[in-house]
Amino acid sequence: MRTLKEELNEQIPRLRAELHDLVQRGGSTIVSEVTLSQVVGGMRGVAGLVCDTSTVEPDKGLIVRNIPISKLSARKPEEMFYLLCTGRLPVARELSALEEELHRRSAVPAYVWDTLSAMPADSHPMTLFSMAILALERESVFHRRYEEGMHKEEYWEAALEDSLAILAKLPTIASGIYRIHTGKPAPVSSDTTLDWGADYARMLGLADSTGEFANLLRLYLTLHCDHEGGNVSAFTCHTVGSALSSPMLAVSAGMNGLAGPLHGLANQECLHFVLEIKEKFAGVPSPQQLSDFIWARLKDGAVIPGYGHAVLRVTDPRFVAFHAFGERACAEDETFRIVDRLYAVTPGILQQHGHAKDPWPNVDAISGSLLYHFGLKQFDYYTVLFGVSRALGMCAQLILNRALGTPIVRPRSVTTEQLKGIVGSERRVA
Ligand code: HAX
């Protein structure tokens, strides 16, 4: 039995030695070449940073520390955090120790609520969420100890301390934002007898007599916990953290990226699409009606929300896990049945259409419809839920990067004039 800190303490000297050895032996090995299209195209596909917490394989989907996400869907989010940080799942006593650590830190300072309640009522929930994490910077152990002259070998310990403080408070903060946003009575406090997901479900205040909503939330938080290092929110968090900004500053910055429509907001657009179908056909359309509807949309040049992916080339295993949950918990729900029918009809059409490299559903094709079924109907809140989950990965990545002494991120930029010169002469920038 080892606490998370003890396990990291055990592993970190070996991880440092391995990395040092790798750089000594292969420091000048070429890992990735960069074309001009990649330079002007968001660095897509350029291998330019290390992330050991997870990887996304085109034919397998998300793999967390060598375990496919399909094999992890029954795990609690807290277990995922231990796994992300250490590469192994905790045994029962290690998990209880981590849960205890989180409970101990769950109280949210009053000034955070004062900050949020000073904002206009129509502020976006993601803005409030990012602000709340930012406000917590006042509590940062990393910040304080850095000012006191902390040795760089101890950075990871302070990063772990701040990460636990952030994660412990997120369900209370996120549910408080939901309550503020929906005009419910004041935020409620954490119940230290419940696990992270169940406590979050309880504090949201939705009816859950069967406990299935808590199950869904746990599943949601587990499935979204990480998606390697190069996506906008993870990369932003990593970049800000690399300046030795505290985890509060770094995670808040990551959330601002997640709030973008091309990243974390996609799930609400997918649900809009499903509800549009439900309204247009006054229920679940027949396969033929759905097929005609999709073809008409494609002919108009519109995309089919929830289908396609930048990396994946199979049905997203997170979609499969949610689908299995829906089959069990709400198979007769009309919204779920439309999602199911879209899954039966859409991939074949996209294959015939021939544009999308990936005709299969991604996780956003289904997550919103399940939340909607259980009464979480504020679409603009969905990204906060995503953010609570993704904070697990952001924090794990920050801890490991501080342990390994990952230097400040500083890629080189080039001017368009320089690019013109390179194209003209096939010269490379020195
Ligand atoms: N419907 C119709 N056409 C599609 C399509 C879809 N779902 N997905 C891709 N295409 C089209 C693209 O528009 C592109 O068309 P043009 O060649 O005419 O420009 C062509 O297929 C090639 O695109 P791609 O290489 O297959 O896809 P990208 O890597 O460029 O984009 C996207 C990936 C997820 C953005 C894209 O598939 C899409 O827009 N899907 C619908 C929106 C969606 O589901 N978003 C959630 C993504 C999940 C996620 O990562 N969340 O964080």
Side-chain angles (χ1 to χ4, degrees), residues 66 76 83 103 149 177 182 196 198 264 276 281 309 354 364 370 381 398:
N66 293 323
K76 285 182 186 168
L83 174 65
H103 287 144
I177 289 169
T182 54
W196 208 60
E276 181 195 325
F281 296 99
H309 200 272
D364 295 330
L370 297 176
Y381 182 76
L398 281 173

Side-chain angles (χ1 to χ4, degrees), residues 44 227 262-264 266-267 270 298 302-311 313 318 350 353-358 362-365 386 390:
R44 187 73 81 90
H227 221 229
L262 294 188
H263 190 13
N267 53 9
C270 293
L298 289 172
V303 296
I304 308 303
Y307 284 75
H309 200 272
V311 180
R313 296 295 177 260
R318 299 170 301 171
L350 284 176
H353 185 242
H355 289 226
K357 295 191 188 75
D358 171 38
N362 57 60
V363 68
D364 295 330
F386 191 170
R390 204 42 80 75

Side-chain angles (χ1 to χ4, degrees), residues 115-403:
T115 306
L116 299 186
S117 52
M119 291 294 288
D122 58 356
S123 303
H124 195 282
M126 274 306 278
T127 308
L128 300 182
F129 190 53
S130 171
M131 284 177 67
I133 299 169
L134 188 61
L136 284 175
E137 153 77 358
R138 180 182 173 277
E139 312 297 315
S140 172
V141 171
F142 190 95
H143 182 123
R144 177 172 54 72
R145 290 193 56 201
Y146 188 85
E147 298 273 297
E148 291 165 2
M150 160 173 63
H151 191 281
K152 64 182 180 187
E153 301 234 326
E154 294 167 10
Y155 287 172
W156 73 268
E157 292 178 41
L160 171 63
E161 185 54 46
D162 282 357
S163 295
L164 290 172
I166 294 169
L167 295 174
K169 294 168 180 46
L170 283 194
T172 313
I173 289 173
S175 57
I177 289 169
Y178 179 76
R179 298 175 75 91
I180 293 168
H181 192 57
T182 54
K184 282 186 196 275
V188 289
S189 308
S190 176
D191 175 343
T192 55
T193 64
L194 294 176
D195 62 81
W196 208 60
D199 197 20
Y200 185 13
R202 181 191 64 85
M203 290 186 285
L204 283 168
L206 296 165
D208 187 23
S209 58
T210 59
E212 286 290 25
F213 179 58
N215 290 336
L216 174 63
L217 219 54
R218 252 189 236 107
L219 179 64
Y220 187 104
L221 297 171
T222 288
L223 295 180
H224 287 83
C225 69
D226 202 41
H227 221 229
E228 60 172 56
N231 63 74
V232 167
S233 52
F235 188 50
T236 303
C237 179
H238 169 60
T239 302
V240 174
S242 80
L244 298 185
S245 305
S246 72
M248 283 75 171
L249 293 173
V251 173
S252 170
M255 292 307 163
N256 296 337
L258 197 71
L262 294 188
H263 190 13
L265 281 202
N267 53 9
Q268 71 182 61
E269 303 214 345
C270 293
L271 181 56
H272 271 299
F273 172 64
V274 174
L275 294 179
E276 181 195 325
I277 293 173
K278 188 168 155 184
E279 193 180 317
K280 181 176 168 63
F281 296 99
V284 185
S286 69
Q288 188 57 51
Q289 284 174 316
L290 203 49
S291 173
D292 293 346
F293 177 79
I294 290 169
W295 273 115
R297 199 179 152 98
L298 289 172
K299 281 180 187 143
D300 278 352
V303 296
I304 308 303
Y307 284 75
H309 200 272
V311 180
L312 288 177
R313 296 295 177 260
V314 288
T315 296
D316 189 332
R318 299 170 301 171
F319 175 94
V320 175
F322 274 136
H323 191 266
F325 178 91
E327 289 278 20
R328 185 177 59 70
C330 55
E332 296 311 314
D333 179 276
E334 278 198 337
T335 316
F336 177 74
R337 284 175 56 216
I338 293 172
V339 168
D340 190 46
R341 190 150 287 177
L342 277 165
Y343 183 33
V345 167
T346 310
I349 296 177
L350 284 176
Q351 277 166 329
Q352 251 183 289
H353 185 242
H355 289 226
K357 295 191 188 75
D358 171 38
W360 304 106
N362 57 60
V363 68
D364 295 330
I366 189 164
S367 55
S369 66
L370 297 176
L371 296 170
Y372 192 81
H373 170 78
F374 285 97
L376 197 62
K377 296 190 170 173
Q378 287 69 25
F379 295 15
D380 56 357
Y381 182 76
Y382 289 179
T383 315
V384 174
L385 207 61
F386 191 170
V388 173
S389 173
R390 204 42 80 75
L392 297 164
M394 289 189 214
C395 287
Q397 292 184 24
L398 281 173
I399 295 162
L400 292 174
N401 280 311
R402 296 292 70 76

